Amino acid sequence: MEGGGRPSAAQAALLAASTAVTALLYSVYRQKARVARGLEGARKVRLDGDLRSVLLEAPGRCVPYAVIEGVVQSVKETLSSQFVENCKGVVQRLTLQEHKMVWNRTTHLWNNYEKIIHQRTNSTPFALVAPEGGAGVTVRVVKPLEAAELSLETVYEKFHPSVQSFTDVIGHYISGERPKGIQETEQMLRVGTALTGVGELVLDNTTLKLQPPKQGMPYYLSSMDFDSLLHKQESSARFWKILTVVFGAATCAVLFFLLRKQYRHHRERQQLKQMQEEFRQAQERLLSSEGGESLKNACVVCLSSTKSCVFLECGHICSCHLCYQALPEPKKCPICRQGIVRVVPLYNS
């Protein structure tokens, strides 16, 4: 604590940083909890013959947040894998990722570094159909690339290591970057994949559509079943809640420490003021009862008895005999703090 009981700059910065982190974590937790509650309250619908009548009875022919489980079926042509035969899908993502080692001048270690140098995503219109395929009801999936938890299966992956000459190796050590190679990956959402879709379900003329919701809730296309998806979001909300509680407790501890320091400083000031007031009152009593000459000869310790000791070798006359005996060992002069070798009684005539 600085003078006047105010916290130091470091303590104030620590409290401000802890408070800011706690507020940020709480904001993330509220958002995660809101998502989990919204997902829990989503309406589950089935891909059967009654789905169209359910939407006809709904306000605006729309279910704002619905859960539907089905199997991927292409509406038009399908996408073929570039590397795997007879692999058909509706979403295809091709990625080229660079792998290299980078020298860290702080830790003096080589660290792995990955960078996507090229990525292309292709998609074709598709729909969700009932797993058994008996009802013939399809739900068209709109804007699938905007969905969170979009489940793409890795159908091809190959790593192409870098070919380096001796001169290249020397140059890489000098520059601090050592290429390892290029990883080529193909991911697809294959036809026939079971998906759980969560979003806005609407009836547009005669077409059933699943699209991103308009209420700010996330849009899901996940290979997990609904219970697993809900459990994942609830676990995420609990994780952020625990982090918020931990940092909130740390913030309260820092605040308590600063307030305790300030309280102790305030109490010491009050005690000092009380001692000063008692000393002033003692002086006034001596002046009023015995006069200025008595105060001049009073013991500097108790201010009530007369000085009766000469301290040697310093020669100060400042204490009565009782206060001299009460001095802690090794005894020192209250005036100059020099060690007392011997004491000579003083007799006033």
Side-chain angles (χ1 to χ4, degrees):
M1 301 287 284
E2 295 180 345
R6 294 186 300 272
S8 64
Q11 292 170 339
L14 177 62
L15 179 61
S18 180
T19 303
V21 171
T22 303
L24 178 62
L25 292 175
Y26 179 69
S27 175
V28 175
Y29 159 67
R30 286 190 61 183
Q31 192 270 336
K32 295 290 184 181
R34 174 176 170 270
V35 169
R37 288 194 302 268
L39 197 59
E40 187 177 7
R43 181 176 177 179
K44 296 181 181 180
V45 296
R46 294 178 57 85
L47 277 169
D48 54 22
D50 296 332
L51 181 57
R52 191 178 299 274
S53 60
V54 169
L55 288 173
L56 287 173
E57 296 174 358
R61 298 185 176 183
C62 168
V63 177
Y65 208 45
V67 179
I68 188 166
E69 296 180 346
V71 175
V72 174
Q73 183 183 76
S74 177
V75 174
K76 298 180 181 178
E77 72 281 355
T78 58
L79 301 174
S80 299
S81 170
Q82 293 187 5
F83 305 98
V84 182
E85 294 183 359
N86 300 322
C87 182
K88 304 291 184 179
V90 292
V91 178
Q92 179 188 48
R93 180 170 295 161
L94 301 170
T95 305
L96 290 179
Q97 190 174 37
E98 180 186 15
H99 293 258
K100 61 183 178 180
M101 304 290 289
V102 178
W103 177 255
N104 191 317
R105 292 180 173 82
T106 303
T107 61
H108 299 285
L109 295 172
W110 288 96
N111 298 328
N112 287 317
Y113 178 78
E114 299 176 357
K115 178 183 177 182
I116 295 177
I117 57 178
H118 178 73
Q119 188 175 77
R120 185 176 81 249
T121 303
N122 304 318
S123 64
T124 186
F126 69 95
L128 295 179
V129 299
E132 59 275 4
V137 178
T138 63
V139 174
R140 180 77 173 268
V141 178
V142 181
K143 299 179 181 179
L145 299 183
E146 295 184 9
E149 305 282 344
L150 180 60
S151 300
L152 298 181
E153 178 186 352
T154 300
V155 297
Y156 176 82
E157 188 173 23
K158 186 175 182 180
F159 184 77
H160 304 277
S162 298
V163 179
Q164 304 175 21
S165 64
F166 179 76
T167 306
D168 294 334
V169 172
I170 299 299
H172 295 154
Y173 273 95
I174 294 175
S175 64
E177 293 187 1
R178 191 170 62 189
K180 296 173 61 178
I182 302 296
Q183 182 174 350
E184 189 175 17
T185 306
E186 182 183 26
Q187 296 174 297
M188 296 191 72
L189 178 59
R190 303 176 66 171
V191 174
T193 302
L195 278 187
T196 299
V198 184
E200 184 181 59
L201 187 62
V202 298
L203 177 60
D204 185 6
N205 294 327
T206 59
T207 306
L208 297 172
K209 292 183 179 181
L210 181 69
Q211 60 190 19
K214 298 183 178 63
Q215 300 176 348
M217 297 298 292
Y219 182 35
Y220 291 104
L221 289 175
S222 175
S223 60
M224 295 185 293
D225 59 80
F226 176 71
D227 292 335
S228 300
L229 182 62
L230 177 59
H231 178 72
K232 180 179 179 180
Q233 299 306 317
E234 290 175 342
S235 298
S236 177
R238 283 195 298 269
F239 171 76
W240 287 101
K241 181 179 181 180
I242 292 172
L243 280 183
T244 303
V245 171
V246 170
F247 275 85
T251 302
C252 292
V254 173
L255 181 61
F256 173 77
F257 171 78
L258 296 180
L259 292 177
R260 181 172 175 269
K261 286 283 187 180
Q262 193 169 8
Y263 169 74
R264 290 179 62 183
H265 177 80
H266 174 72
R267 189 175 62 180
E268 289 172 358
R269 289 182 59 187
Q270 291 296 111
Q271 291 176 350
L272 180 59
K273 287 182 179 180
Q274 184 178 0
M275 291 174 62
Q276 290 174 343
E277 180 65 21
E278 291 176 354
F279 182 77
R280 186 186 62 80
Q281 292 176 0
Q283 284 183 324
E284 290 178 354
R285 286 196 300 269
L286 286 173
L287 286 173
S288 61
S289 61
E290 299 179 5
E293 192 66 27
S294 298
L295 178 61
K296 192 179 297 183
N297 294 325
C299 171
V300 299
V301 180
C302 64
L303 295 177
S304 58
S305 301
T306 305
K307 300 173 183 176
S308 59
C309 298
V310 180
F311 297 149
L312 299 178
E313 300 292 333
C314 66
H316 282 121
I317 305 172
C318 58
S319 170
C320 65
H321 185 69
L322 290 176
C323 290
Y324 161 71
Q325 291 179 329
L327 290 175
E329 297 290 343
K331 297 183 184 299
K332 294 182 179 180
C333 174
I335 302 298
C336 64
R337 309 303 299 168
Q338 183 176 340
I340 301 174
V341 178
R342 62 194 182 94
V343 178
V344 177
L346 175 67
Y347 301 98
N348 295 319
S349 58

